[in-house]
Amino acid sequence: MVSKRLSLIFAGLFALMMLASFASAGMNLYPEQYEANVSHGNSDSFEIKIENTYENWSLFNFTIGNTSSLDNFDLNWENPGSVDTKTNKSINIEISVPKQTSQGIYVEKLMINPMKRNISNESDTSGHPGPKELEITVNVAEDKDLSIESSDFDNEKTTEITIKNKGNIDLTGINLTSSGDFEINFSENDFDLDAGDTKDISLNILD
């Protein structure tokens, strides 16, 4: 009875070891998830490692692509070329967030899918090891940034300035005031400005 139990235990352990070795064969990706805080108009880069765990197959002809349209940020990556058996290779991925991208949390997924080649018979390129997915999360913070571009009065009483919303949120109720030795009248006041938009304002010095 004891010997039967031991046999069953050893059989179970052997089966688990076989399953583990089978599951680990192929391609691994490190990390499988990445999160970054990136301001609009800026970029971030990081490395991922592609590991080939095959004994007799090299990985080549990598296809790397996003699983959905990149509406909120751009991704650029290096192609790893090939990864020899029982080795790994690191590649760089760059995230670029366009100007005026709204505040929020954005998730993008990259599918990495190579072909495999038999190292003993290079004409044998039977299929794929199965794709790996890299999930990238980008946190874009709120940014209020209003700029004023002006010209000198040049001894004139009037001039024009351009106000631009350089941030990534819409601004409302913008109020222009002046201080100093003379009073200035603005052609427009208490206005709204969407992210990325500009408005020209005329200034007049009052006597």
Side-chain angles (χ1 to χ4, degrees), residues 80-197:
S82 63
V83 182
D84 294 335
T85 178
K86 302 302 263 182
T87 63
N88 61 73
K89 182 175 286 188
S90 295
I91 65 172
N92 189 69
I93 296 178
E94 183 181 49
I95 306 165
S96 297
V97 178
K99 291 284 290 181
Q100 276 76 56
T101 297
S102 299
Q103 173 193 13
I105 300 173
Y106 302 98
V107 179
E108 184 60 47
K109 295 179 180 180
L110 279 185
M111 229 27 139
I112 301 175
N113 192 22
M115 295 181 67
K116 59 181 186 177
R117 176 186 287 124
N118 193 321
I119 61 173
S120 300
N121 180 12
E122 291 194 356
S123 62
D124 182 3
T125 56
S126 55
H128 302 264
K132 289 289 184 179
E133 187 177 83
L134 170 65
E135 183 177 278
I136 301 171
T137 301
V138 176
N139 304 306
V140 180
E142 176 186 285
D143 178 31
K144 295 180 180 180
D145 188 2
L146 197 65
S147 71
I148 300 176
E149 300 173 3
S150 62
S151 60
D152 295 332
F153 279 89
D154 292 333
N155 297 321
E156 300 291 334
K157 289 188 175 183
T158 60
T159 191
E160 190 174 82
I161 61 172
T162 299
I163 298 177
K164 182 175 183 177
N165 183 353
K166 298 172 67 176
N168 63 350
I169 62 170
D170 299 338
L171 299 176
T172 60
I174 299 173
N175 187 40
L176 302 177
T177 60
S178 66
S179 61
D181 297 331
F182 47 83
E183 185 179 352
I184 295 178
N185 181 60
F186 300 97
S187 62
E188 192 171 350
N189 220 331
D190 194 18
F191 56 87
D192 303 335
L193 207 55
D194 292 342
D197 284 355

Side-chain angles (χ1 to χ4, degrees), residues 33 77 170:
Q33 294 180 323
W77 54 84
D170 299 338

Side-chain angles (χ1 to χ4, degrees), residues 35 139 205-206:
E35 185 171 354
N139 304 306
I205 296 179
L206 302 178

Side-chain angles (χ1 to χ4, degrees), residues 42-48 64 66 70 73-79 91-97 108 110 134 136:
N42 290 288
S43 61
D44 179 74
S45 63
F46 65 100
E47 277 192 348
I48 62 169
I64 304 177
N66 55 295
L70 293 170
F73 56 89
D74 301 319
L75 292 174
N76 295 293
W77 54 84
E78 298 175 82
N79 194 301
I91 65 172
N92 189 69
I93 296 178
E94 183 181 49
I95 306 165
S96 297
V97 178
E108 184 60 47
L110 279 185
L134 170 65
I136 301 171

